[in-house]
Amino acid sequence: MTRRDLAHAPLLEAAHGRTPSHTPVWFMRQAGRSLPEYRQVREGIAMLDSCFMPELLAEITLQPVRRHDVDAAILFSDIVVPLKAAGVDVEIVPGRGPVLGEAVRTRSDVDRLPVLEGDVAEVADGIRIILDELSDTQALIGFVGAPFTLASYLIEGGPSKNHEKTKAMMHAEPETWHALMRRLVPTIVAFLRTQVEAGIDAMQLFDSWAGFLTERDYREFVLPYSTEILESVAGEIPRIHFGVATGELLGAMSEAGSEVMGVDWRVPLDTAATRFASPRVLQGNLDPAMLFAGSDVVRGEVVRIKAEAARAMEAGDATGHIFNLGHGVLPTTDADAVTEAVRIIHEEA
């Protein structure tokens, strides 16, 4: 396909290690529960259903771009969408999260797990609608969940506080674990290819639960598979890799190959950059709770974070900076506070 001409899109300039016209900003979970217009269009529609309705998917993705003037849209989706598309019995239960009809606990369970083949037409159609509205300075970021997080949902049967069944399989039945990861990677890659072929400008591999792992376990049980996913689009679009509470894993995660490394709010950006295997573009990392503290606090935090990124670049540990939160927009955040934060980020040199 012919890609859009985004020669002056600040997010892509930064992602390629060039100097953008201003610090680009987008927020994880910017499309969603914090917006009243989102709650209105989603009323009476199940979360996963909305991810397979092209017009609604596009509308939700575009809402924060219109309201906040962010430099990129993030495709409205969920980590389990590719599982649902493959035919796995999964639903998102309000107040709990993804819940599986049947957990994956044995090798025979793994062998029966459906694999996504071909594209997901509804998502591709939604992406085309989105691209028609975005300007030539606004990027569309695609989204896929990392294999560890998907595997944990499958093994636990839903969200878990301790991931005990997941870790037990890793260590007691490593062959079953690796078989599950090999089964999941083609589904994730197929979902990513759907987005790439439809025209996304960048992508983020998101790992909700990797922060529960030691670096040793991450390297053995996860890194090869995240690397394979990122390699599947190498040279095509910029790749962002982010995990929650993964400060101790940043070195290993950076080896997976992404151009951009997301950093959560727990680790200063200049400290994080020294942990990378080689210099990367930084993404992050305002604490989402700061959006409740008022404009003066947000401005101070923005200045501090930009200074940390600048120090990392001056030291040669980083090659650029994309501003973001250190995780997602909290659902009770005032939408006007998000708009104001974007204005401050664009304004502060």
Side-chain angles (χ1 to χ4, degrees), residues 17 69 105 132 181:
D69 193 33
R105 302 277 169 79
D132 282 342
M181 296 298 266

Side-chain angles (χ1 to χ4, degrees), residues 96-302:
R96 187 177 174 197
V99 175
L100 280 296
E102 200 171 319
V104 174
R105 302 277 169 79
T106 67
R107 181 58 187 265
S108 60
D109 292 339
V110 171
D111 293 340
R112 289 195 304 271
L113 188 68
V115 175
L116 179 61
E117 297 178 356
D119 65 3
V120 183
E122 300 92 336
V123 172
D125 290 344
I127 288 171
R128 295 183 188 104
I129 297 170
I130 295 163
L131 294 177
D132 282 342
E133 180 168 331
L134 292 177
S135 75
D136 60 6
T137 62
Q138 296 167 327
L140 174 59
I141 303 169
F143 170 88
V144 287
F148 174 75
T149 292
L150 280 173
S152 182
Y153 280 128
L154 288 167
I155 296 165
E156 305 287 343
S160 171
K161 291 183 178 179
N162 300 304
H163 306 272
E164 61 269 28
K165 296 180 179 68
T166 304
K167 292 181 179 182
M169 180 188 286
M170 274 182 169
H171 289 275
E173 302 177 61
E175 291 182 3
T176 302
W177 170 265
H178 288 292
L180 175 57
M181 296 298 266
R182 288 192 298 270
R183 191 88 176 169
L184 281 173
V185 166
T187 289
I188 297 168
V189 168
F191 186 52
L192 178 55
R193 292 298 329 166
T194 289
Q195 298 174 53
V196 171
E197 296 302 325
I200 60 169
D201 305 303
M203 61 80 69
Q204 176 161 283
L205 181 67
F206 185 92
D207 213 331
S208 303
W209 306 126
F212 282 85
L213 296 174
T214 65
E215 181 181 354
R216 179 186 62 254
D217 286 352
Y218 180 86
R219 286 185 177 279
E220 180 177 353
F221 296 110
V222 181
L223 179 57
Y225 306 104
S226 290
T227 300
E228 186 177 346
I229 293 163
L230 290 169
E231 283 181 347
S232 73
V233 294
E236 296 184 68
I237 54 174
R239 301 161 296 173
I240 306 166
H241 196 185
F242 176 79
V244 183
T246 51
E248 296 301 321
L249 303 180
L250 287 171
M253 289 179 70
S254 71
E255 293 176 20
S258 65
E259 290 79 12
V260 183
M261 279 297 301
V263 181
D264 82 5
W265 50 268
R266 296 166 179 84
V267 183
L269 290 184
D270 48 349
T271 300
T274 64
R275 300 178 183 181
F276 298 157
S278 59
R280 296 283 192 275
V281 176
L282 290 159
Q283 179 177 279
N285 66 343
L286 179 68
D287 183 342
M290 294 302 100
L291 294 176
F292 294 78
S295 296
D296 290 345
V297 171
V298 169
R299 186 177 296 276
E301 289 294 287
V302 167

